[in-house]
Amino acid sequence: SCSKVGDPHPGQPYKGGDFTAFLPDNRDGQKIAMLLRKAFVHGLTFQIKSCNGEEKVTWGLIPHKTSWNGGRARNGYPDSQYLREVCTVL
């Protein structure tokens, strides 16, 4: 099980990761990219979770599309509500 969100053990090392997200290259996608940049600068994009005694970086509470396809069920497109939803969160 995983502990509460945040840095569960400040000062302790944790594992990073590779994270990729996709936005459409259009006006709305560019607007969201700008807001996501601001969220990143403010430390809101990622969080550290403790799982089975190991601290690691995971996505934060902002939804990201991690695939171009597969639809909503697989964190991909098409998802007609995504840009509206992520804008609301941001």
Side-chain angles (χ1 to χ4, degrees):
S1 73
C2 296
S3 75
K4 189 174 109 168
V5 172
D7 190 344
H9 299 102
Q12 296 298 311
Y14 54 87
K15 288 190 175 186
D18 293 323
F19 299 86
T20 303
F22 300 93
L23 290 169
D25 187 12
N26 60 28
R27 187 175 176 171
D28 289 339
Q30 291 167 8
K31 175 184 168 188
I32 297 301
M34 185 178 64
L35 293 172
L36 286 171
R37 239 180 252 115
K38 286 183 179 183
F40 178 81
V41 168
H42 287 26
L44 302 173
T45 305
F46 300 103
Q47 60 193 7
I48 301 171
K49 281 190 176 179
S50 182
C51 291
N52 303 320
E54 180 179 80
E55 283 72 39
K56 63 183 192 175
V57 177
T58 64
W59 286 112
L61 301 177
I62 300 167
H64 287 80
K65 289 296 180 187
T66 55
S67 175
W68 273 123
N69 49 43
R72 189 175 184 95
R74 294 185 182 255
N75 247 359
Y77 295 98
D79 181 349
S80 62
Q81 301 301 308
Y82 173 68
L83 293 177
R84 188 179 358 236
E85 288 173 0
V86 73
C87 189
T88 299
V89 170
L90 292 167

